[in-house]
Amino acid sequence: ELWEAMMAAGLTRTDAVAALGGGVVGDLAGFAAATILRGVDFVQIPTTLLAQVDSSVGGKVAVDLQAGKNLAGAFHQPRLVVIDPDVLQSLPDRAFSDGMAEVIKYGCIRNGRFFALLEALGSRAAVMEHIEDVLICCCDIKRQVVENDERDKGERMILNFGHTLGHSLEKAYHFQGPSHGEAVGVGMVRIVRASEAAGFTARGTADEIVSVLQAYGLPVSDPISDQILAAGAVNDKKSLNGKLNLVLLKEIGRCAVVPISQ
Ligand code: GLY
């Protein structure tokens, strides 16, 4: 319907698609822009925190299939991303917290000082007082990572910290349970607890992540067991040719991609 409507509206190759909304809108509009007339320009105008710090930046656009999330898509960079922090004032608390999980993720993987700032701020109100710095820090980390590895063959995988188990958790609830950010928060805690126990990650790291997630109203545990989540991740692994890349923290601000084979 969307593609037909764009043609009915007289879209030409010199027009651009504007995506005004959260991640689903940006992904759908971006995928439509990537494919209509073999590709037209598009502009992202993200209105959720999660979209402002993650999905609107970096050019991944996709839609879900019955078989799973984001399975039909493209890499199609927006010409422009317009971020207005004021629109975040209208988000419900749960949606703000959802985005905070990805904000915290950036501190974990790349910037210990930023993580410490988030610990010190500790509330939505305090983050909103520094929102421009927070958004710039996240988008700048994402820009650097995507510039180095746009097609997700190496460094870009670090953006998936917490996502392997998180995605498995979302799937276990048929995407009707925890939100994406909530699942990523639980995924970060679980993977860091495991890598801490294995001696890979500095002791105390998981507890630090737990307290910052809790400060922003995010869950840090879930009744679904590690075994079930790991089994879900292994199923994903099979579809990826038997290889699973785990993103592990050495410490807050420093991570590594560790390939696990069958
Ligand atoms: N959201 C992960 C990525 O853009 O690669």
Side-chain angles (χ1 to χ4, degrees):
E1 279 175 26
L2 184 55
W3 276 248
E4 295 291 356
M6 287 195 287
M7 294 320 296
L11 187 103
T12 71
R13 296 189 87 165
T14 55
D15 290 320
V17 172
L20 173 70
V24 172
V25 169
D27 263 32
L28 175 59
F31 184 52
T35 48
I36 193 88
L37 302 174
R38 297 202 174 82
V40 300
D41 285 346
F42 93 112
V43 174
Q44 288 271 27
I45 313 169
T47 56
T48 64
L49 181 57
L50 199 145
Q52 292 190 350
V53 297
D54 184 15
S55 60
S56 68
V57 179
K60 276 189 185 172
V61 291
V63 294
D64 300 342
L65 300 182
Q66 289 297 335
K69 244 180 121 172
N70 297 334
L71 292 181
F75 292 95
H76 189 58
Q77 294 295 341
R79 283 272 164 199
L80 176 72
V81 182
V82 181
I83 295 177
D84 178 355
D86 286 345
V87 300
L88 301 178
Q89 302 285 5
S90 66
L91 288 182
D93 280 338
R94 189 175 175 205
F96 193 87
S97 297
D98 193 37
M100 280 308 297
E102 297 283 1
V103 172
I104 292 163
K105 176 198 80 179
Y106 286 113
C108 290
I109 58 173
R110 259 296 159 78
N111 190 333
R113 279 200 323 202
F114 182 57
F115 186 91
L117 172 72
L118 299 173
E119 274 179 320
L121 294 175
S123 71
R124 176 178 179 170
V127 165
M128 283 308 290
E129 279 170 29
H130 295 79
I131 192 65
E132 289 190 13
D133 293 336
V134 168
L135 295 172
I136 288 167
C137 185
C138 296
C139 291
D140 202 44
I141 293 172
K142 183 141 188 190
R143 177 189 60 75
Q144 288 166 28
V145 170
V146 174
E147 277 179 4
N148 288 337
D149 174 30
E150 184 187 13
R151 297 282 160 146
D152 208 6
K153 304 247 188 272
E155 185 179 336
R156 189 166 182 165
M157 290 177 201
I158 71 172
L159 299 174
N160 281 334
F161 170 58
H163 284 58
T164 303
L165 295 179
H167 188 213
S168 193
L169 186 62
E170 282 183 276
K171 260 189 8 198
Y173 285 98
H174 307 286
F175 299 96
Q176 308 293 314
S179 67
H180 179 68
E182 289 165 352
V184 166
V186 173
M188 291 194 289
V189 172
R190 295 260 182 117
I191 196 70
V192 174
R193 287 224 188 281
S195 61
E196 235 181 89
F200 189 90
T201 303
R203 289 246 162 244
T205 306
D207 286 344
E208 268 195 89
I209 296 173
V210 163
S211 60
V212 76
L213 289 170
Q214 283 176 328
Y216 292 101
L218 285 156
V220 293
S221 62
D222 188 276
I224 293 193
S225 70
D226 279 346
Q227 285 73 11
I228 291 175
L229 292 190
V234 167
N235 282 341
D236 270 0
K237 178 176 81 162
K238 286 193 178 128
S239 70
L240 288 172
N241 235 355
K243 288 191 201 117
L244 179 68
N245 289 299
L246 280 185
V247 185
L248 302 180
L249 296 191
K250 292 300 281 177
E251 61 187 3
I252 299 285
R254 213 153 60 88
C255 67
V257 179
V258 179
I260 311 277
S261 51
Q262 264 181 322

